[in-house]
Amino acid sequence: MTTTAEETKETGAVVWTGEWVAQRLGVSLSGGPELPRLLGLALRRNPKRAHLLVSNVLGKHVPQRPEAVHGAGLGLGRRVRELLGDADAARAVVLGYAETATGLGHSVADGLALAPYLHSTRRPVAGVAQAGGFEEEHSHATSHLLLPEDPSLLAGDGPLVLVDDEFSTGRTVLNTIQALHARFPRERYVVVALVDMRSEADRNHLDKFAADLGARVDLISLAAGGVQLPADVLERGQALVAAHQDTAPSEAPGASGGVAAPGEDVTAGGVSDLSGVSDLGGGATPDGGAAADGISAPGGTAAPGGTTAPGGTTAPGGTAGRPLPERIHLGWPEGVPDGGRHGFTPAHRARLEAALPGMAARIADRLAGSRRVLVLGNEELMYAPLRLAGALDDAIPAEVYFSTTTRSPVLAVDDPGYAIRTRLAFPAHDRPADGPGERYAYNIAAGADPQRRFDAIIAVTDSHGDTPQLLGNDGLLAQLAPHTDRLLLAVVPSYTPAYALPQAPEPAPQPTPHATQRQV
């Protein structure tokens, strides 16, 4: 079952998570009854666009059960295979969009089963030649790179399956097809999305584009409809964002879990001092991340006045009862890519499937007694944590959810009729090519509803993002700590082609004043 709406405590009535924006901005959706189940609405902090369609089954902004997230893409991929037939499906390539649809595209490739997968990326890799690139016009971060390990991956003439979370205008798809068709012409494209929200004019434009190109373009989605916007939607949206940003509470780090009255933007504070990360095994991690200075072993000393309790939580008298993060060694299978940045084949998929139960068991060993668990991926790293979440859901009796951090700046309003209830902000920790910037995790803090609280969170990053910024006093782990009882860190080794140039090593984090290091 998917999480689609909020139930008010006072009346028990189901509230659509787009109602707040619809009432204040005059935005409405047209289409079938499935659209409100799939989508909510929020306001972007973006000068190019006012509203954001927030998917309930994407696993990006709204924590969701992993079987719902993976299942949505899996079902779409099976429909593509049925459309193409096995012979053409085996000649196809699936292409997903960064950052939002990297996991969705990979799940579509799982449903197709016979084709390799590649997703666009905003992370250049020295020594890996670009096979193409394109622009996403309305996005806050526009440039997409295509960096397949095998340069011939996109050079075949089989169908190209393009996967995005939504179609609003179709311009991103047109930019992609135009850029790739100039280098690698083919006869057939299949476009896949969770929802198709294009206007009639945009639909006609795509049809004409395909005719001019001389290629067939098919389209598959879970639902179709439209978005009706007032003429002054951008100005009204910016005014609403400005008004509600100004009312955001100023709280001490971790105070009251970021709770605010309905209608207020919650930017929950982090901890003032992250005492260290418990290293379950000590030393350098076999998963590609280094056990940095200041990383403590279970049972090590936390801040003065408190010791680390079993499970990594700080006993009374420590850092306000916040958990000391624990590093989990996953045992990621050697040679299996962390995702589709450089390509992911059906053979890779088979090896990952075989390894998932063992990796989930390592995590499950640290979650005894947990009832509501979140596996939190990181920007483009969506598929690996999604599949870990699914395997963990099979391994433990707790309710397991999945979501991912994002670059996308969105206003948070703690109201049942708004899709983005709470927002955690933290600095980028993956050394982005476009420089440092703010990143976000939405709907992780419980806000005004304690029933939304996760009693355990597993943060998953690749080794490229296992940096001092991740462990810093204002980093992601510090922001998560006040909102859970148990905090784990799992590092997936970043895959780079063998011929890629060596990446500059990241300096180890310096110990915080109260941190200790202990090897076990």
Side-chain angles (χ1 to χ4, degrees), residues 113-202:
L114 303 174
Y117 175 63
L118 177 73
H119 69 69
S120 66
T121 181
R122 295 190 174 102
R123 181 193 293 177
V125 177
V128 181
Q130 294 184 34
F134 52 91
E135 297 295 314
E136 186 176 0
E137 295 176 9
H138 64 259
S139 175
H140 53 280
T142 58
S143 296
H144 290 248
L145 306 174
L146 296 176
L147 305 176
E149 179 174 21
D150 179 359
S152 68
L153 183 66
L154 293 170
D157 59 0
L160 181 63
V161 181
L162 302 102
V163 184
D164 207 353
D165 58 320
E166 66 170 82
F167 301 137
S168 51
T169 65
R171 292 193 190 105
T172 300
V173 171
L174 298 188
N175 288 341
T176 309
I177 294 175
Q178 188 170 43
L180 291 177
H181 198 79
R183 292 190 63 185
F184 312 114
R186 62 191 73 230
E187 296 179 353
R188 191 168 190 183
Y189 297 87
V190 181
V191 181
V192 181
L194 295 172
V195 293
D196 177 6
M197 306 298 286
R198 293 171 300 151
S199 68
E200 191 62 31
D202 288 325

Side-chain angles (χ1 to χ4, degrees), residues 13-40:
V14 174
V15 178
W16 175 46
T17 58
E19 187 173 292
W20 192 95
V21 172
Q23 290 178 348
R24 289 162 177 80
L25 200 58
V27 176
S28 61
L29 303 184
S30 60
E34 68 277 9
L35 278 178
R37 296 197 296 268
L38 290 171
L39 295 174

Side-chain angles (χ1 to χ4, degrees), residues 97-120:
Y97 287 93
E99 63 171 78
T100 309
T102 59
L104 175 62
H106 212 142
S107 299
V108 169
D110 284 354
L112 200 63
L114 303 174
Y117 175 63
L118 177 73
H119 69 69
S120 66

Side-chain angles (χ1 to χ4, degrees), residues 241-286:
V241 169
H244 287 275
Q245 276 187 156
D246 290 344
T247 64
S250 176
E251 298 191 19
S256 61
V259 175
E264 292 185 321
D265 180 16
V266 178
T267 306
V271 297
S272 58
D273 175 27
L274 183 63
S275 296
V277 178
S278 301
D279 186 8
L280 305 186
T285 73

Side-chain angles (χ1 to χ4, degrees), residues 294-466:
I295 293 177
S296 306
T301 306
T307 57
T308 305
T313 56
T314 303
T319 314
R322 296 170 189 141
L324 183 67
E326 305 170 15
R327 187 185 292 268
I328 297 289
H329 295 169
L330 288 174
W332 186 265
E334 185 177 356
V336 173
D338 54 301
R341 180 177 290 109
H342 303 296
F344 197 97
T345 67
H348 290 141
R349 183 179 305 114
R351 292 191 59 208
L352 177 60
E353 297 281 352
L356 281 171
M359 291 190 284
R362 291 181 178 89
I363 300 172
D365 286 344
R366 308 303 304 175
L367 297 177
S370 297
R371 297 185 302 274
R372 197 166 188 266
V373 175
L374 175 70
V375 178
L376 181 67
N378 184 253
E379 294 192 46
E380 292 180 11
L381 185 72
M382 294 187 71
Y383 181 75
L386 169 61
R387 299 309 310 280
L388 286 169
L392 185 62
D393 201 25
D394 292 337
I396 62 176
E399 283 190 348
V400 177
Y401 290 81
F402 165 75
S403 65
T404 324
T405 67
T406 177
R407 286 172 166 243
S408 180
V410 186
L411 178 73
V413 178
D414 199 0
D415 185 281
Y418 190 84
I420 304 295
R421 299 284 297 272
T422 62
R423 175 173 67 99
L424 303 179
F426 54 94
H429 57 85
D430 61 346
R431 295 164 281 171
D434 56 354
E438 199 169 54
R439 302 293 186 262
Y440 311 97
Y442 295 112
N443 292 322
I444 309 304
D449 184 359
Q451 293 185 356
R452 298 164 58 91
R453 190 175 190 274
F454 295 103
D455 52 15
I457 297 175
I458 302 99
V460 183
T461 187
D462 61 4
S463 53
H464 186 83
D466 187 13

